[in-house]
Amino acid sequence: MIMILAIALIMTIVGLILGLLLKGIDRKIAAYFQSRIGPPLLQPVYDIIKLMYKQTIIPVTAVRWLFSSAPVIALASSALLLLYITIPYIFYIFEINTTLQGDLIVVLYCILIPSIAMVTGAFSSGSPYAAIGAQREMVILMSIELPIAVVIISVAWHAADSMADPFAISSLFEYPLWHNAGAFGVLGGILLFFAMVLVLPAEMSRVPFDQAEAETELAEGISVEYSGKLLAFILLTDAFKALALSMLVVILFFPYTLSQLFGISFQMYGHTLTPFVEIVFLLFKIIVIYSFGITFIRVVMARLKISQVARFFLFAITAISIIGLILIMLDPNMRII
Amino acid sequence: MVYYYRCYNVIDNNRGTYVKKINYKHLKRSLWAYHMNTGSCNACDIEILATLMPRYDAERFGIKLVGSPRHADVLLVTGTVTEKIKDKILQVYQQVPKPKLVMIIGSCGATKGVFHESYAMAGPLDTLLPVDVYVPGCPPRPEAIIYGVAKAWEKLEEL
Amino acid sequence: MKSDIVYPLNIGPVHPAFKEPIKFTFRIEGEQVAGVDIDFGYTHRGIEKIALERNYIQIIYLLERVCGICSFSHPLAYCLAIEDVAEIQVPDRARYIRTIIGELERLHSHLLWTGIAAHEIGFDTLFMYTWNIREKVLDCLEEFTGNRINYGMLTIGGVRRDITPENSETITRMLEYYMELYDRASEILLDDLTLRARTEGIGILSREQAEMFCAVGPTARGSGLLKDVRIDYPVNAYYDIPWLNPISPRDIGKEPIGDVYDRMAVRVLEIKQSLNVIQFCMENLPEGDINSGEGAVKIINKLKKLEGEGIGRYEAPRGEVCHYVILDNQEHPIQLKVKAPTYSNGFTWIPMLTNIEIADIPIVIASIDPCVACADRMTFIRKDGAKERYSWDYLHQKSIQKYKRSANQ
Amino acid sequence: MLGMVYKVIEQIFSKKSTNCFPMKYIPNNTTQYLNQGIIHPPIVVKEGFRGRLEYDFQSCTGCGLCSKVCPANAIELYSAEINSKKTKRVVIYLTRCTFCKECVDICPRNSITITKSFCMADYKKYGNSLVVGSEYRQQFEIKDHADVE
Amino acid sequence: MIKHVPVLLVAIPLVVAFMLPIIGMVNRTIRTITAGVAIVIIMVLSYLLIQDVMICKKIFYYMVGSPDPTALFEHGLTFPIRIALKIDQFSLLFIIMATTLSFLFYLFSSQYIEENERKNYFTVLYVCMVAGMMGMLIANDLFTFFVFLEILSISSSALVSFRTERKHPPYAGYKYMFVSSIATSFFLLGIAFLYAQYGSFNIDYLKKVMDGTVLDKIAIVMLILPLAMKCGVVPMHMWIPDTYSEAPAPISSMVKLGSLICLYGLFRIAFTFGSHVYVSYELGILFILFGVLSMFVGVTQALIQKDVKRLMAFHAVSQVGYMLLGVGVGLSVIKSGDASFAIYGKIAMIGGLFHVINNALYKGLLFLTSGIMVRHYKTRDLNVMHGLAHYDKFTALVFMIAALAISGIPPLNGFVSKLIIYESVFHYNPLLTLIAIFVSVLTLASFMKVFYSAFLGMPPERKPVEQPILVKFSMVILSIIIVAIGLFPQGIIKLLIEPAVNALATF
Ligand code: SF4
Ligand code: SF4
Ligand code: SF4
Ligand code: SF4
Ligand code: SF4
Ligand code: SF4
Ligand code: SF4
Ligand code: SF4
């Protein structure tokens, strides 16, 4: 128990730094895409430090206790989300046996909590811009929930007949989605991956789905009234979410470790270094997913309208993911018995 | 049913909390700027935007334009302050959390410049707010604006 | 979460979507706009009044700063007006140089607009891209006129600086650069998926409405109204360009319906047109003087002794600007009127802004390329707590009085 | 349709358009930035750029034309005593100037010239660096526009 | 003593109910306290049974009127018709829920309903309602069940129209009365069909002797449909919004509780007779259909409501869908013979029954908070409300807990039962899970809207009055239970729900 707590603490701190770094990488790559040099990689860290020193203004129209507790709740819940998703994988890499398996449906709901906290905070600020932003965020949440649910259910479905709990994150390491997949399964998996990658920017409120924070329409929307520390918490929440969500995509679709893929292991002076190399590999996967799913998409697209987003997710993306689900259900090889 | 939101810029500064010993140093590596046009001719405004463009890329110094004064560290003011916008600039200034800097971009903001005889002016900005850096030019080149920011860092360093 | 709550949403006067202070009050139903009220006047600097206390040369630089984006069009219209009164003959070379700068300005303004429009819909890469390629024309202008913006090139009776061979080389290189770039850039601007999704079918201004509200410039042309001062009342070198035609979305094979996309298309096509005009002027640049040969002092002295009224019209990037001056044997003009394009186009917002979504507001507002700096005609300032608002009748009477006075003087 | 996609991919591999001014990376502290001289050379602007004004105290005759023609009231004429002759001289407030070069054009003695330097930011509105010709003037008080009117 | 608990559970409230008007004439405070004490007593009595019933798996039988009422009754026709009572694990689960919640709601109402001459009626009717519920829960013969159902309906319809000074409540009460009398007459007809064939009302007996004739099946349908109607299952939910929205807040909660008791009847009849007559698969499908319909229709209707109580009423409809879904899946596989019941059917039923409890908790709490809102704003229109949270932190917090619980946000109780339902129903058909998840997100959206409209925004024009202590107390207890169950669901599942499911499944 104590070990788990210690690991959780270390991982929170590491996750914080990595999350901020991920955002730094995102900004850097985006700058390169735009033919600029871009800020230093540690820029998000500087921003956070600066915000910590700044005054925190609470508008009089705000419901004070809600306004100031919302970012804290968002931060805490996103940190928990990160731990919840990552711990099974880390344990798996370090080959620690544990009962902490993680449950995909819990993840599905935990993703909601930071957003709900933010929406509540925005509503409580009393600013009409924030209120419109929060309404939009709710619409986006509602419309992406269905595709995510379909993805998670189809991923679970392929493992439904295995002995393991199909919703457990840890069973994905044993039975990755592509395990035994036939042609149908691979096709379905690709569709699901596509859907999930498009869900990523919507969860993270990035262009083309950043209606809730649309700078030119709503003057930063949800976070318009936040300043100082509370704003820093919001940015940290964002960092945690960035890491957690790309981690989720990695786990759902590419849980393979190097040793699984190539059967290699790393030794040095008689100690095994495999877990550490695996972690580096994991970070590599996360960066690739993030820079493709978020950075690339956000630089090549314009912001859509909220009605377009709702239609896009509720119909197009849901349809795509349901086709993926059906394909996986049709694939005879996917039934592991 | 019609809802009336009271204008949300009423703020009560006493309710805010901040580190008493103001440490400006931390602003240096990440200056978030809020740009406000107080009656300029737009030339300075487009030069500010040009500063953020790939050619000059102010973001590499951590400078970022933000959409809400509450997120800002620097207030970039362009243009001479007209009577009608005077209240607004004061309000915006109030909404910027401390510590904060004010930079005037362009000559007409600093002194009224070419509009000096106008009846519609509420005076140069420094009669209304403490101003930290003046960037003369009509309009200043983007490089001159970046130089102004570098000047601001220098000032922060000394504090 | 559509709700039928109607509430007012104030956008501006300070809002990241507009780089200039202007205030819109929308009545919002859910995400739909039900009505709009516009409040101008935040940048009113009383330029028309200041001008009456300055001499004729100073006014040029003052009018340059009506707005920094078409900082050539306003002084040009003024110079044309003065030249009209004083019957000053502008040398051919100066006319061509004026045309070239005017078109360079149009080029930079349209590129700027595309960037801003992209920014309004959150397409920052396109914003960066257009502004990045815009640097080329700014470089060119800088080398040519001495500043990136607010060129200070004009003087009454000509221009202040000549195009040196070195300059013309730069301009030729710039033209090559843009000609090469144009096809791909216009493809990005006119065919991009998300851009089209955001611009097509919104902010519609029908031809009839455009006529009714006296829309000018690309706003009118986007609605299929073929209206272009360069062609209708040619000045400068435009007499000599036979192939110049008003642009309309028909040129890319699209029936104009007057939506944001059409206005964008017009601007993108005008970039090409400007490039052609510049090329034409560079090729046919006549030799000769660049101004009437009189120095500033001489001009001032000459105008001091003149009496009469003059009018100058020019097609700024945003549409027609029109300056009207009355001279009366004084060191200063006794009347100067500026009619700026946004002043006409501003009214087209009313039909455009109704029944759109909140998300469309910035792009629709931006689509006429507003420049409130020049449209701010009047402001209500409540000094000393006087809460009085003038009625239309009162103002009407006042203006009649004023014009009578200036006519009698 | 996907023009931007190709464009960004092209841009990520091509040379960046950024012009590294004033320095490539921000140093740890400004003293370092001032002393170690890694500031990039000021941007080369082309001949004819209208930057900072320079004033030649000696050649000026005090005719006052420049101050008359200045649209921004940036040139102040003051009485001076040079070689015990009562005459006039000018100071130029750069924070008012619009850099229109009209004074340069009109000056009969070419006493005002324009330079290419444009980095003029300062902390004081009428700091020494922003008032051209102030070094010649013994004592003077700055009149703001507000006071002038 | 404990042997007589079954009869006491009904008798105490009934007797007290008839005494109350007399006490009320003497002293109103004593009357209020007496009623409270009566409810506390039955609550304690029901807790006393936990040890015997849940842990030692005893079943209490009681024959009112027989010389030795607790002696096990041999089924035979020699006995005259008797009132047969029975408490097994399944009914005890509901008894505990009903007593606890009626107690908490009573605490709330004792200070919420203003003191005047009509409060006498209120208290009497309230206790009658409790008696009706208890009777339904422990009745072991259909006729007794019917009688108590009627008691419940009549007293609740009277309470719905309690605020006679206003225009709508009497109308709503009348509507409720009308609908429920139609329903109960069908129910009576169903009983008659069975009695005509087998000559007994006794559920155990009927179960033994039923042989699945067409008439039996018709009778089962006639028993089930009225109960479904009383639970507010789509498409028979039209009475719900009016009834819930017009009743005073604690009564809305009680009516909701009553409809959950009808759900008990529904499950009991479906499992007892259905599985015996081999229609359990069809019934299960019917339940699932009803469930999905209710979930979807309820939530979509709720999304467009502007009246806070109507909105909550529609959510009540959609929540019933979850329970029907969970239990329906269990019912449809209970007799399928393979291992699927063991793998997921039972878990689905656990989820369904757990959801009943959770739903009663947070739904009750929501109705109570809505009462506070309505009392403060003097209107139920969400568009008019704004900013209560500026002054009333307590109500806002409590509402938040309940709203998050109903939307299934971890770590609150609604999430746990929903999670169990999702993961078990998934094996039956993943699409059902999908719908359930989606409905839950829509629920969230709709409650965010309520929260925003009622609590956030500009501060209200006047400060809210401080809530009386008991009102606050009852709400605090409810929220504590909600959070506690959410954090430690294992205990309550092991202790109460699993035995109940076992009892139901082996019936
Ligand atoms: S300083 Fe000059 S260019 Fe800048 S806003 Fe003022 S007048 Fe325009
Ligand atoms: S319309 Fe133009 S000239 Fe007139 S006051 Fe406004 S900015 Fe000045
Ligand atoms: S039209 Fe607009 S851009 Fe052009 S001069 Fe007028 S204000 Fe400036
Ligand atoms: S009154 Fe003014 S706005 Fe109206 S038509 Fe005449 S000039 Fe145009
Ligand atoms: S009416 Fe307006 S533009 Fe005309 S003189 Fe008066 S202030 Fe100036
Ligand atoms: S006299 Fe009448 S028509 Fe003429 S300018 Fe004045 S108001 Fe307009
Ligand atoms: S450059 Fe123009 S504005 Fe500056 S001092 Fe000379 S005349 Fe005045
Ligand atoms: S600087 Fe030139 S114009 Fe000005 S006073 Fe001296 S000599 Fe005359």
Side-chain angles (χ1 to χ4, degrees), chain C residues 26-40:
Chain C
F26 294 98
R27 286 198 306 118
I28 304 286
E29 289 179 10
E31 281 261 347
Q32 291 276 319
V33 178
V36 59
D37 186 16
I38 308 168
D39 180 9
F40 281 112

Side-chain angles (χ1 to χ4, degrees), chain E residues 336-387:
Chain E
S336 60
D338 60 16
S340 48
F341 183 72
I343 295 177
Y344 62 88
K346 196 174 148 190
I347 305 177
M349 278 172 68
I350 291 182
L353 288 192
F354 195 18
H355 202 70
V356 174
I357 305 233
N358 294 336
N359 178 50
L361 287 164
Y362 53 64
K363 203 73 221 180
L365 188 50
L366 280 175
F367 276 124
L368 300 188
T369 47
S370 80
I372 292 184
M373 286 181 223
V374 172
R375 179 149 289 187
H376 175 253
Y377 293 113
K378 305 259 189 293
T379 169
R380 297 196 307 255
D381 190 345
L382 279 172
N383 292 348
V384 181
M385 306 181 173
H386 56 93

